[in-house]
Amino acid sequence: MSKIKVDGIELDVPAEYTLLQACEAAGAEIPRFCFHERLSVAGNCRMCLIEVKGGPPKPVASCAMSVRDLRPGPNGEPPEMFTKTPMVKKAREGVMEFLLINHPLDCPICDQGGECDLQDQAMAYGVDGSRFKENKRAVEDKYIGPLVKTVMTRCIHCTRCIRFSAEVAGVPDLGATGRGEDMEITTYLERAMSSELQGNVIDLCPVGALTSKPYAFQARPWELVKTESIDVMDAVGSSIRVDTRGREVMRILPRLNEDVNEEWISDKTRFVWDGLRTQRLDRPYVRRNGRLEAATWSEAFAAIAGKVKGAQPDRIGAIAGDLATVEEMYALKALLSSLGSENVDCRPESSRLDPKLGRSSYIFNPTIAGIDNCDAVLIVGSNPRHEASVLNARIRKRWRQGDLRVGLIGERVDLTYDYDYLGAGPESLAGLIGGDGAFAKVLAGAKRPLVLIGEGAFSRPDGLASLALAAKIATGAGRDEGWNGLAVLHSGASRVGGLDVGFVPGTGGLDVVGMVGAAAARQLDVLFLLGADDLNMNGLAETFVVYVGTHGDAGAHRADVILPGAAYTEKSGTYVSTEGRVQMTARAAFPPGDAREDWAILRALSATLGKVLPFDTLTELRASLYKAFPHLQRIGAIEPGALDEVAALAGKDARAANFAYGNRIGDFYLTNPIARASAVMAECSALAAGRPALAAE
């Protein structure tokens, strides 16, 4: 630690702090445009000027000088800095006047208005006039894709967007051409940006040169109601803020959460909001004479009751989709149990994860924040760039710090960082145990290895063997005490919560493959789909399908009865992330039409079936849930898995079939019903696949 003085306040700060960070630690406010805590230092804007006692006879850019660069006083006094002197005030006014020389001053029509750093700092540190009388510089707007709108005349060349693309996203799409006044930020060939995190440059841009294209001219920030919630587009559980106007979601923004997503979110998380309002199910439907017709709730429940009461318990099943909350899965499992059925499942087809193997066998044990502390990464049967984009950026962040080897077994993909390709299937994974290859030696000598295993490895008939092999590597000799390196990466937000509450087949029960097979063999009479759309609907034959969901997706097209539910922004629901963190969404809007929250639908249906569930309110449901599973009431906390469970898993039979691992996600932008209803996601999908974009400029 180094001792310094800021505006007369003496304090100790780390020597590696910049002067800007040291001043803020002392409570001083330092304006800035180019500096960002998660990006490299550029020193472009010069707005952060301060005065250093005994230093140069001119203001110093506080972002570009560190505390260790300061000299003590002549008698050993601590270095002293000033942030409010006349020199500093005049310097900042001069910098602001220069920045505004070519700025169009078009605040009334700028989407950044009300949330603009330039606006705020011009008010706080600028002057009320300009001495510049010449014509302003104009720059042609650039096309950089369907997500980010450009008005490049506003650009002040802070280069935050360039540094983010190159350093955090790992896809250096953006760069600068020209010098001085002729400098322009562009994609060089004016093509769409290709990163799954590109929308974050909108938040980073301090002046409105880069704004949200889908949100353009939709609303002003002071018109919006802001609700803190959780993202469910993947299993990471990123912290988000949902902004609504009336009953409509207008945009989704990230919230700061150092343990999960830092301050980034994926493009699917940010731009999927238009899918929340299209192709919505807003009333019950019943299939009559081969056609779905609108019906009342009573008619829909009566149609279901007629089929359920005539079916044997072992011929009734339920499958939960990727977006289901813990509460509704708990309610549906209780309903099926009251009917005498054990045919329930929340896992992807052929998944071999089982709560009986312990919680450590199906969560990301090192935690997302723990990626920062690992010393080797092995990725098995996964493409984290598509399955968990923010988590992939965390791995890249650790990789950029140096001294990290990454290995991949499965499909060759671009992960935005270098890796050793080790093979395609289980034989390559088995070869790392006691092997003499270069990466086998890296794993053997690692103190904190992270073995990331995806659904492409454990969602296959021999998936348990692959899981056991991964556990053997994670629990090898020489690991740090307490380090649990088995990292199971899910792609569905509902998965861990469903496994926690036991939404898996009971004794003699059928899993997803078993239920679909039984339906095809006409041995399943009734099947409940709780937002489950990624099934072979053609294989359900004549089974009576009850679909509880939000959108007119595959499940609704196949259904015999549709019960309209609420989306994740329209209800308070519990989700458990891939690392086992219990989180809760908050209602930001209300569901459309006659749609209701899913747990309430199941409670009302249970009364019609004569199997009344023992709760009437969400509070009562949660009281029952928390009594059965106490860890679910600790919102924001992780119930860690036991290392002994991983050791026991490592002792399982590890003989796997010798065929290559595949990746579960083919199209990053179209992974769930909300995304498939989004026009913005459809355009992104077309661009990513090389098809003509629907509305490219």
Side-chain angles (χ1 to χ4, degrees), residues 5 20 50 57 90 93 95 165 176 185 237 313 335 388 411 429 468 473 481 486 493 515-516 544 590 609 622 631:
K5 291 181 72 174
L20 187 152
I50 63 170
K90 183 178 180 181
E93 288 174 352
V95 169
S165 298
I185 307 298
L335 179 60
E411 293 184 20
L429 183 59
I473 296 173
E481 185 178 355
L486 181 63
M515 282 184 267
V516 173
F544 186 82
F590 288 89
L609 297 176
R622 284 178 174 159
H631 74 280

Side-chain angles (χ1 to χ4, degrees), residues 212 214-220 223-225 242-252 270 273-274 276-277:
S212 172
Y215 174 71
F217 311 119
Q218 296 290 316
R220 286 297 196 181
E223 301 174 326
L224 304 176
V225 176
V242 181
D243 288 359
T244 56
R245 185 175 62 188
R247 298 178 67 95
E248 285 193 0
V249 174
M250 304 304 296
R251 65 178 179 179
I252 296 173
R270 183 185 296 269
W273 51 266
D274 70 312
L276 291 165
R277 65 179 72 160

Side-chain angles (χ1 to χ4, degrees), residues 318-396:
I319 300 174
D322 290 351
L323 307 183
T325 68
V326 170
E327 288 87 352
E328 57 211 42
M329 286 187 285
Y330 179 74
L332 183 54
K333 184 175 185 291
L335 179 60
L336 268 287
S337 296
S338 69
L339 295 172
S341 174
E342 298 289 341
N343 303 327
V344 297
D345 205 356
C346 66
R347 304 167 297 180
E349 291 186 18
S350 301
S351 175
R352 290 294 163 262
L353 297 181
D354 192 335
K356 295 177 182 177
L357 297 174
R359 200 164 194 256
S360 274
S361 69
Y362 61 82
I363 66 172
F364 200 95
N365 291 286
T367 73
I368 295 172
I371 293 172
D372 297 342
N373 300 317
C374 69
D375 54 7
V377 174
L378 173 64
I379 300 172
V380 183
S382 175
N383 178 0
R385 182 174 172 182
H386 286 171
E387 295 173 23
S389 302
V390 174
L391 185 147
N392 189 67
R394 195 89 174 214
I395 298 176
R396 174 176 168 78

